[in-house]
Amino acid sequence: MQRCHWCNLANPLYISYHDQEWGVPNLQDDYLFEMLILESFQAGLSWETVLNKRAAFRQAYDQFDVAKVAQYGEGKIQELLTNEKIIRHQAKIRASIQNAQVFQSIQVAYGSFYTYLCQFTQGKRRVELGRTTSPLSAAISKDLKQKACPLLVLQLSTPISKPAELSILMREVVFSIGLKSNYTRF
């Protein structure tokens, strides 16, 4: 199999992700929630770093059960902050809980997170190559931000200066539901 240039061939986790997940549509809300959370932890780091900690994140985050994550309180936050196997960034951890709450509210309003995303695409698959952001990812990011989903804002004291930073996360979410954005799958 020919692989993308960014796939580290020395890392079996990265190879598995590339070969079995990258560019493969997954419309399940549990998977979309996992990607949303993992992508928000990637901010400032490489995707490979997050993949290497994915199993630990699954364990620490109750298998990415959105209902459980949405209910995390200070005790769980402190537990996550002391877990050396995950990325221990307080703002990212707090944002993940708020993201879970927004994700749940979207599920209630639209029936599923995937259905919510489809309102932006009318269910059509999109291919956008050679770009790091797109009007589609920007629109989804803007809407989620209006719903109080911190995504990559991470509840920082200063606002994000470039809307593209929010769009990067949603590009990945949009890609995971089968809407190619910025990447070619071989």
Side-chain angles (χ1 to χ4, degrees):
M1 166 183 273
Q2 185 178 4
R3 295 188 174 99
C4 300
H5 67 88
W6 49 261
C7 182
N8 179 358
L9 300 179
N11 185 338
L13 291 173
Y14 218 172
I15 292 170
S16 176
Y17 172 77
H18 178 278
D19 294 356
Q20 297 173 23
E21 290 183 68
W22 184 254
V24 177
N26 189 329
L27 315 179
Q28 302 302 310
D29 273 10
D30 57 345
Y31 181 79
L32 295 175
F33 178 67
E34 178 179 0
M35 290 295 107
L36 184 74
I37 297 303
L38 292 176
E39 276 288 332
S40 64
F41 274 95
Q42 181 195 353
L45 303 170
S46 72
W47 181 241
E48 185 173 13
T49 297
V50 175
L51 280 178
N52 289 337
K53 295 178 178 286
R54 187 179 192 180
F57 268 108
R58 280 187 179 142
Q59 184 175 9
Y61 272 81
D62 294 297
Q63 305 303 313
F64 294 106
D65 181 324
V66 67
K68 289 181 180 178
V69 176
Q71 296 300 314
Y72 286 175
E74 286 302 316
K76 183 65 175 187
I77 291 169
Q78 292 308 310
E79 178 186 318
L80 293 168
L81 286 170
T82 61
N83 185 336
E84 296 180 2
K85 296 178 181 178
I86 67 168
I87 297 162
R88 298 173 294 160
H89 188 286
Q90 185 171 354
K92 291 178 181 184
I93 290 169
R94 290 185 183 281
S96 70
I97 297 164
Q98 188 174 349
N99 287 344
Q101 293 163 353
V102 172
F103 195 96
Q104 275 190 311
S105 69
I106 289 170
Q107 287 177 311
V108 169
Y110 293 89
S112 71
F113 193 74
Y114 172 70
T115 301
Y116 161 76
L117 292 174
C118 283
Q119 75 174 333
F120 296 94
T121 66
Q122 293 75 46
K124 296 177 184 173
R125 188 177 178 117
R126 308 270 175 98
V127 177
E128 297 174 355
L129 302 174
R131 297 163 52 174
T132 57
T133 63
S134 73
L136 175 61
S137 64
I140 295 169
S141 297
K142 180 180 178 182
D143 192 67
L144 284 171
K145 188 175 179 184
Q146 289 172 347
K147 294 180 184 329
C149 193
L151 300 173
L152 296 183
V153 176
L154 305 174
Q155 301 173 341
L156 299 175
S157 57
T158 56
I160 274 184
S161 59
K162 297 178 275 184
E165 293 173 10
L166 273 177
S167 296
I168 290 169
L169 170 62
M170 288 319 302
R171 180 193 67 221
E172 180 67 22
V173 171
V174 168
F175 190 88
S176 72
I177 65 165
L179 307 170
K180 294 196 177 207
S181 176
N182 192 38
Y183 301 99
T184 304
R185 172 86 173 156
F186 294 101

CSV table of all heavy atoms in Angstrom, one decimal, residues 78-104:
chain,number,residue,atom,x,y,z
A,78,GLN,N,-9.1,16.7,38.4
A,78,GLN,CA,-7.8,16.5,39.1
A,78,GLN,C,-7.2,15.2,38.8
A,78,GLN,O,-6.0,15.0,38.6
A,78,GLN,CB,-8.0,16.7,40.6
A,78,GLN,CG,-8.4,18.1,41.0
A,78,GLN,CD,-7.4,19.2,40.4
A,78,GLN,OE1,-6.2,19.0,40.6
A,78,GLN,NE2,-8.0,20.2,39.8
A,79,GLU,N,-8.0,14.1,38.6
A,79,GLU,CA,-7.5,12.8,38.3
A,79,GLU,C,-6.9,12.9,36.9
A,79,GLU,O,-5.8,12.3,36.7
A,79,GLU,CB,-8.7,11.8,38.3
A,79,GLU,CG,-8.3,10.4,37.8
A,79,GLU,CD,-9.6,9.5,37.7
A,79,GLU,OE1,-10.5,9.6,38.5
A,79,GLU,OE2,-9.6,8.8,36.7
A,80,LEU,N,-7.5,13.5,35.9
A,80,LEU,CA,-6.9,13.6,34.6
A,80,LEU,C,-5.6,14.4,34.6
A,80,LEU,O,-4.7,14.1,33.9
A,80,LEU,CB,-7.9,14.2,33.6
A,80,LEU,CG,-9.2,13.4,33.3
A,80,LEU,CD1,-10.2,14.2,32.6
A,80,LEU,CD2,-8.8,12.1,32.6
A,81,LEU,N,-5.6,15.5,35.4
A,81,LEU,CA,-4.4,16.3,35.5
A,81,LEU,C,-3.2,15.5,36.1
A,81,LEU,O,-2.0,15.9,35.8
A,81,LEU,CB,-4.6,17.6,36.3
A,81,LEU,CG,-5.5,18.6,35.6
A,81,LEU,CD1,-5.9,19.7,36.6
A,81,LEU,CD2,-4.7,19.2,34.5
A,82,THR,N,-3.4,14.5,36.8
A,82,THR,CA,-2.3,13.7,37.4
A,82,THR,C,-2.0,12.4,36.6
A,82,THR,O,-1.1,11.7,37.0
A,82,THR,CB,-2.6,13.3,38.9
A,82,THR,OG1,-3.8,12.5,38.9
A,82,THR,CG2,-2.8,14.6,39.7
A,83,ASN,N,-2.8,12.2,35.6
A,83,ASN,CA,-2.6,11.0,34.7
A,83,ASN,C,-1.4,11.2,33.8
A,83,ASN,O,-1.5,11.9,32.8
A,83,ASN,CB,-3.8,10.7,34.0
A,83,ASN,CG,-3.7,9.4,33.2
A,83,ASN,OD1,-2.7,8.9,32.9
A,83,ASN,ND2,-4.9,8.8,32.9
A,84,GLU,N,-0.3,10.7,34.0
A,84,GLU,CA,0.9,10.9,33.2
A,84,GLU,C,0.9,10.2,31.9
A,84,GLU,O,1.7,10.5,31.0
A,84,GLU,CB,2.2,10.4,34.0
A,84,GLU,CG,2.4,11.2,35.3
A,84,GLU,CD,3.6,10.7,36.0
A,84,GLU,OE1,4.3,9.8,35.6
A,84,GLU,OE2,3.9,11.2,37.1
A,85,LYS,N,-0.1,9.4,31.6
A,85,LYS,CA,-0.2,8.7,30.3
A,85,LYS,C,-1.0,9.5,29.3
A,85,LYS,O,-1.0,9.2,28.1
A,85,LYS,CB,-0.9,7.4,30.5
A,85,LYS,CG,-0.1,6.4,31.4
A,85,LYS,CD,-0.9,5.1,31.6
A,85,LYS,CE,-0.1,4.2,32.5
A,85,LYS,NZ,-0.8,3.0,32.7
A,86,ILE,N,-1.6,10.6,29.7
A,86,ILE,CA,-2.3,11.5,28.7
A,86,ILE,C,-1.7,12.9,28.7
A,86,ILE,O,-0.8,13.2,29.4
A,86,ILE,CB,-3.8,11.6,29.1
A,86,ILE,CG1,-4.1,12.3,30.4
A,86,ILE,CG2,-4.5,10.2,29.1
A,86,ILE,CD1,-5.5,12.7,30.6
A,87,ILE,N,-2.2,13.7,27.8
A,87,ILE,CA,-1.8,15.1,27.8
A,87,ILE,C,-2.5,15.8,28.9
A,87,ILE,O,-3.7,15.9,28.9
A,87,ILE,CB,-2.1,15.7,26.4
A,87,ILE,CG1,-1.3,15.0,25.3
A,87,ILE,CG2,-1.8,17.2,26.4
A,87,ILE,CD1,-1.9,15.2,23.9
A,88,ARG,N,-1.7,16.4,29.8
A,88,ARG,CA,-2.2,17.0,31.0
A,88,ARG,C,-2.2,18.5,30.9
A,88,ARG,O,-1.4,19.2,31.6
A,88,ARG,CB,-1.5,16.5,32.3
A,88,ARG,CG,-1.5,15.0,32.5
A,88,ARG,CD,-0.6,14.5,33.5
A,88,ARG,NE,0.8,14.8,33.2
A,88,ARG,CZ,1.8,14.8,34.0
A,88,ARG,NH1,1.6,14.7,35.3
A,88,ARG,NH2,3.0,15.0,33.6
A,89,HIS,N,-3.2,19.0,30.2
A,89,HIS,CA,-3.3,20.4,30.0
A,89,HIS,C,-4.7,20.8,30.5
A,89,HIS,O,-5.7,20.4,30.0
A,89,HIS,CB,-3.2,20.7,28.5
A,89,HIS,CG,-3.1,22.2,28.1
A,89,HIS,ND1,-4.2,23.0,28.2
A,89,HIS,CD2,-2.1,22.9,27.7
A,89,HIS,CE1,-3.8,24.2,27.8
A,89,HIS,NE2,-2.6,24.2,27.5
A,90,GLN,N,-4.7,21.6,31.6
A,90,GLN,CA,-5.9,21.9,32.3
A,90,GLN,C,-7.0,22.6,31.4
A,90,GLN,O,-8.1,22.2,31.4
A,90,GLN,CB,-5.6,22.8,33.5
A,90,GLN,CG,-6.9,23.0,34.3
A,90,GLN,CD,-6.6,23.7,35.6
A,90,GLN,OE1,-5.5,24.0,36.0
A,90,GLN,NE2,-7.7,24.1,36.3
A,91,ALA,N,-6.5,23.5,30.6
A,91,ALA,CA,-7.5,24.2,29.7
A,91,ALA,C,-8.1,23.2,28.7
A,91,ALA,O,-9.3,23.2,28.4
A,91,ALA,CB,-6.9,25.4,29.0
A,92,LYS,N,-7.3,22.3,28.1
A,92,LYS,CA,-7.8,21.3,27.2
A,92,LYS,C,-8.7,20.3,27.9
A,92,LYS,O,-9.7,19.9,27.3
A,92,LYS,CB,-6.6,20.6,26.5
A,92,LYS,CG,-5.8,21.4,25.6
A,92,LYS,CD,-4.6,20.7,25.0
A,92,LYS,CE,-3.8,21.5,24.1
A,92,LYS,NZ,-2.7,20.8,23.4
A,93,ILE,N,-8.4,19.9,29.1
A,93,ILE,CA,-9.3,19.0,29.8
A,93,ILE,C,-10.6,19.7,30.1
A,93,ILE,O,-11.7,19.1,29.9
A,93,ILE,CB,-8.6,18.5,31.1
A,93,ILE,CG1,-7.4,17.6,30.8
A,93,ILE,CG2,-9.5,17.9,32.1
A,93,ILE,CD1,-6.5,17.3,31.9
A,94,ARG,N,-10.6,20.9,30.6
A,94,ARG,CA,-11.8,21.6,30.9
A,94,ARG,C,-12.6,21.8,29.6
A,94,ARG,O,-13.9,21.6,29.5
A,94,ARG,CB,-11.6,22.9,31.5
A,94,ARG,CG,-11.1,22.7,33.0
A,94,ARG,CD,-11.0,24.0,33.7
A,94,ARG,NE,-10.4,23.8,35.1
A,94,ARG,CZ,-11.2,23.4,36.1
A,94,ARG,NH1,-12.4,23.2,35.9
A,94,ARG,NH2,-10.6,23.2,37.3
A,95,ALA,N,-12.0,22.1,28.5
A,95,ALA,CA,-12.6,22.3,27.2
A,95,ALA,C,-13.3,21.0,26.7
A,95,ALA,O,-14.3,21.0,26.1
A,95,ALA,CB,-11.7,22.8,26.1
A,96,SER,N,-12.6,19.9,27.0
A,96,SER,CA,-13.2,18.6,26.6
A,96,SER,C,-14.5,18.3,27.2
A,96,SER,O,-15.4,17.7,26.6
A,96,SER,CB,-12.2,17.4,26.8
A,96,SER,OG,-12.0,17.2,28.2
A,97,ILE,N,-14.6,18.7,28.5
A,97,ILE,CA,-15.9,18.5,29.2
A,97,ILE,C,-17.0,19.4,28.6
A,97,ILE,O,-18.1,19.0,28.4
A,97,ILE,CB,-15.7,18.8,30.7
A,97,ILE,CG1,-14.7,17.8,31.3
A,97,ILE,CG2,-17.0,18.7,31.5
A,97,ILE,CD1,-14.1,18.1,32.6
A,98,GLN,N,-16.6,20.7,28.4
A,98,GLN,CA,-17.6,21.6,27.7
A,98,GLN,C,-17.9,21.1,26.3
A,98,GLN,O,-19.1,21.2,25.9
A,98,GLN,CB,-17.0,23.0,27.7
A,98,GLN,CG,-18.0,24.0,27.2
A,98,GLN,CD,-17.6,25.4,27.3
A,98,GLN,OE1,-16.5,25.7,27.9
A,98,GLN,NE2,-18.3,26.4,26.7
A,99,ASN,N,-17.0,20.6,25.6
A,99,ASN,CA,-17.2,20.1,24.3
A,99,ASN,C,-18.2,18.9,24.3
A,99,ASN,O,-19.1,18.8,23.5
A,99,ASN,CB,-16.0,19.7,23.6
A,99,ASN,CG,-15.1,20.8,23.1
A,99,ASN,OD1,-15.6,22.0,23.0
A,99,ASN,ND2,-13.8,20.5,22.9
A,100,ALA,N,-18.1,18.1,25.4
A,100,ALA,CA,-19.0,16.9,25.5
A,100,ALA,C,-20.4,17.4,25.8
A,100,ALA,O,-21.4,16.9,25.2
A,100,ALA,CB,-18.5,16.1,26.7
A,101,GLN,N,-20.5,18.5,26.6
A,101,GLN,CA,-21.9,19.0,26.9
A,101,GLN,C,-22.5,19.6,25.6
A,101,GLN,O,-23.7,19.4,25.3
A,101,GLN,CB,-21.7,20.1,28.0
A,101,GLN,CG,-21.3,19.5,29.3
A,101,GLN,CD,-20.8,20.5,30.3
A,101,GLN,OE1,-20.6,21.7,30.0
A,101,GLN,NE2,-20.6,20.0,31.5
A,102,VAL,N,-21.7,20.3,24.8
A,102,VAL,CA,-22.2,20.9,23.6
A,102,VAL,C,-22.6,19.7,22.6
A,102,VAL,O,-23.6,19.8,21.9
A,102,VAL,CB,-21.2,21.9,22.9
A,102,VAL,CG1,-21.7,22.3,21.5
A,102,VAL,CG2,-21.1,23.1,23.8
A,103,PHE,N,-21.7,18.7,22.5
A,103,PHE,CA,-21.9,17.6,21.6
A,103,PHE,C,-23.3,16.9,22.0
A,103,PHE,O,-24.1,16.6,21.1
A,103,PHE,CB,-20.8,16.6,21.8
A,103,PHE,CG,-20.7,15.5,20.8
A,103,PHE,CD1,-19.8,15.7,19.7
A,103,PHE,CD2,-21.4,14.3,20.9
A,103,PHE,CE1,-19.7,14.7,18.7
A,103,PHE,CE2,-21.3,13.3,19.9
A,103,PHE,CZ,-20.4,13.5,18.8
A,104,GLN,N,-23.5,16.8,23.3
A,104,GLN,CA,-24.8,16.2,23.7
A,104,GLN,C,-26.0,17.0,23.3
A,104,GLN,O,-27.0,16.5,22.9
A,104,GLN,CB,-24.8,16.0,25.3
A,104,GLN,CG,-24.2,14.8,25.8
A,104,GLN,CD,-24.4,14.6,27.2
A,104,GLN,OE1,-24.3,15.5,28.0
A,104,GLN,NE2,-24.9,13.4,27.6
